[in-house]
Structures are given as structure tokens and as C-alpha cells.
Amino acid sequence: MKRLGLLGCGAIGTTIARAIDSGIIEAELSHVYDSAPEASQRLAGSLRAPPAIAPNAHMLSSYNVDIIVEAASQDAVRDYALSVIQNRRDLVVMSAGALLDESVFEVLSEACSEFGRSIYVPSGAIAGIDALRSVAGEIESITLTTTKHPDSLRGAPGAVDLPDAGSAVIFEGNAHDAVAKFPRNVNVAALVSLGTVGAARTLVRIVADTAATTNSHTIEAHGAFGRILTKVDNVWDPANPKTSRLAALSAINLLQRLCSKTGTIRLGV
Ligand SMILES: NC(=O)c1ccc[n+]([C@@H]2O[C@H](COP(=O)([O-])OP(=O)(O)OC[C@H]3O[C@@H](n4cnc5c(N)ncnc54)[C@H](O)[C@@H]3O)[C@@H](O)[C@H]2O)c1
């Protein structure tokens, strides 16, 4: 059975840990770490098989674990991803926006190659990324429109003109600028651009709508292949309305596949 370490014990980390604890993911949650000690203690204390709490993030990958799951922040990816790979562990990244920094992407790609490990990025809170990657070479234009309640966007560096009532387009630009201005809100912009046309050519529109009851993501891509149009109306994670429940479910689905025994039929990755 694979042994997992968890970096980040918030909304997504908790959902993943519970899925391991209840056997939905056939793995052992060996160690956890969160920069907020109460978050790791609360999570570890709530599980039937409590994991050990690592004393710091670097230590997490020094134990006998197979996969580290990052569900913390873009900073955590920038600060710790390299040491995970250097410690010869695979890594699952939720804060995908960090990978749009070309220097981060390059350093991690080279480390994966040198140490023979992999970084996995779940499909997150969007649908259709498999098809978009399949047609990547033929995409002429691709647009992501994200609609959220202003409360889910508040606090982001780019959230300056949030409407008090009604809806307003508060950002239009490329995926690079989107993840810089909304680092905790539009990791999906990184997911859409990675493996397709890149961040500079991915157009992102963010709409703040006081009537929004979901986090919705619409992707429209055109090219020689035809048109791909997908829309997901995501239920908020009860622990963090910035986060869509589908994001954690996509990580659980990926981990189920990574932790499944060999000699099975594999759907997707
Ligand atoms: N890929 C996707 O589709 C998608 C969707 C939603 C959220 N996300 C991203 O996933 C990450 C986790 O989301 P969440 O909703 O669980 O957030 P959350 O705020 O509920 O939990 C994050 C936890 O990580 C901890 N943390 C933050 N930075 C850390 C660091 N440097 N070292 C150690 N611990 C750290 C925090 O204390 C917190 O407990 C965020 O970066 C979020 O933007 C990705």
C-alpha cells in the first residue's frame, strides 16, 4: 500500500485525508504538515488512523512516503516542491498557479527528470482538460470565464472593484496575470493553459456576481478540431467557499488511480 504525506490541512487536504481514512483511497496517510499547527492537529485528531505531524514542511518528504500531496498554497509549491522531488517522492500539486512561473516549471521539470519522479496535477475544478490537451496543437483561441460571488474573491490583490450588487467583469487578461492577481481563486487558469497553448495565449475573464450561488467555470476553445465548450457550476467546499468541491474530488480520483494496484484497467492517467 502506498504511503502518503499531506502538505496543507485545510479544505482540500481534509477532504483528501478523510478519503484515505475511510478507504476510498487505498493508501496510508503517514504524515501531515500545515504551517498553522492547529490545522494539522485538528485534522490528525479527527481521523481513525491518525497520521504523525511532521515538524516542518521539508521533513515531510524525508520520511518513508511515496507521494506528497500539496494542498496548501502557491508559495508552498515554490518553497518545497523541489525538495520533495530531490527526496525522490512523487508530488501531487493542487496550487497549480505556481507552475505558470517559468523558472519554477523549468527547475521542477529538470528535477523530475534527474531524480526519476513525477509531478501530477489533478484536473481540479474544471471539466474537459483531457480533450483540450488532446487538441492542444490545433487550438486557435481559448477562453476561461470564471464567475464567483464577490465574497469568494475578496482579499485577492486583483479584486479592487467588486460590485455591491449585480455582476461585473473584474478582470480580463491572460492566465499569467490572472493567477498573479487572484492567486487563491483561479488555479483553474493555470490548469487550462498548462499542456494546451500556454499562459500567455489563454484568455481569462473573471466575473464577480452577487447572485452567484456556485463557482462556475466556462471554457470555450476553437480550432481545426471544431469547438469545445464546457461549463461546471461548482458547489463550494463548506470549509472554504473560494474552493470548489470538485477540486478535492479530482485529487481523490487521481490518487485512487495512482494508488491502485498494478494489473487493473486504468481509466485516464
Ligand atoms: N487546482 C484547483 O482546481 C484548485 C481548486 C481550489 C483550490 N486550489 C488551491 O489548492 C490549495 C488548497 O486549497 P484549500 O481550499 O484547501 O485552502 P485552505 O485555505 O482551506 O487550506 C490551505 C491550508 O494550507 C496551509 N498552508 C498555506 N500555505 C502553507 C505553507 N506554505 N506551508 C504549509 N501549510 C500552508 C494553511 O494554513 C491552510 O490550513 C490553495 O492553493 C488553492 O488555491 C486549487
Side-chain angles (χ1 to χ4, degrees):
M1 196 181 266
K2 291 240 162 72
R3 288 164 60 89
L4 269 50
L6 178 64
L7 176 58
C9 302
I12 293 178
T14 297
T15 306
I16 293 170
R18 295 209 173 118
I20 299 168
D21 204 45
S22 61
I24 291 171
I25 300 169
E26 283 185 69
E28 181 192 340
L29 183 61
S30 145
H31 288 77
V32 298
Y33 175 75
D34 194 296
S35 53
E38 65 280 6
S40 33
Q41 282 156 11
R42 195 181 327 115
L43 176 59
S46 72
L47 299 175
R48 281 185 307 184
I53 298 174
N56 59 57
H58 286 293
M59 287 294 287
L60 195 57
S61 57
S62 70
Y63 302 110
N64 176 24
V65 292
D66 301 289
I67 305 172
I68 297 293
V69 180
E70 176 279 324
S73 59
Q74 290 190 33
D75 280 345
V77 176
R78 282 188 276 269
D79 294 344
Y80 310 122
L82 182 60
S83 68
V84 171
I85 302 301
Q86 286 172 332
N87 278 335
R88 295 190 153 78
R89 315 296 176 210
D90 288 333
L91 175 65
V92 171
V93 166
M94 290 309 298
S95 307
L99 300 177
L100 290 195
D101 180 330
E102 277 155 27
S103 57
V104 171
F105 191 92
E106 207 169 299
V107 165
L108 291 176
S109 302
E110 280 170 14
C112 286
S113 160
E114 183 181 348
F115 294 95
R117 305 318 304 185
S118 299
I119 294 179
Y120 298 92
V121 183
S123 54
I126 52 171
I129 192 64
D130 50 349
L132 292 168
R133 288 187 185 142
S134 302
V135 300
E138 297 186 358
I139 293 175
E140 283 153 25
S141 71
I142 184 163
T143 305
L144 163 72
T145 304
T146 290
T147 303
K148 292 190 170 189
H149 192 279
D151 288 347
S152 302
L153 297 160
R154 224 174 285 287
V160 281
D161 280 325
L162 293 173
D164 295 325
S167 77
V169 177
I170 60 159
F171 173 86
E172 213 160 15
N174 68 30
H176 265 306
D177 294 342
V179 298
K181 291 188 172 165
F182 298 86
R184 298 192 64 79
N185 304 97
V186 287
N187 280 289
V188 287
L191 297 175
V192 171
S193 54
L194 287 166
T196 59
V197 296
R201 285 184 55 211
T202 301
L203 180 68
V204 179
R205 189 179 299 124
I206 301 177
V207 180
D209 185 351
T210 56
T213 54
T214 58
N215 294 333
S216 92
H217 301 297
T218 302
I219 304 167
E220 184 164 7
H222 293 265
F225 60 88
R227 178 171 84 124
I228 292 174
L229 177 65
T230 72
K231 181 177 185 200
V232 185
D233 288 321
N234 283 297
V235 168
W236 297 321
D237 189 299
N240 182 356
K242 288 187 176 67
T243 285
S244 305
R245 179 155 168 73
L246 175 59
L249 296 179
S250 76
I252 290 171
N253 180 254
L254 172 69
L255 287 166
Q256 284 175 316
R257 286 177 279 146
L258 294 180
C259 297
S260 68
K261 297 176 190 73
T262 51
T264 56
I265 295 177
R266 284 179 183 261
L267 301 172
V269 176

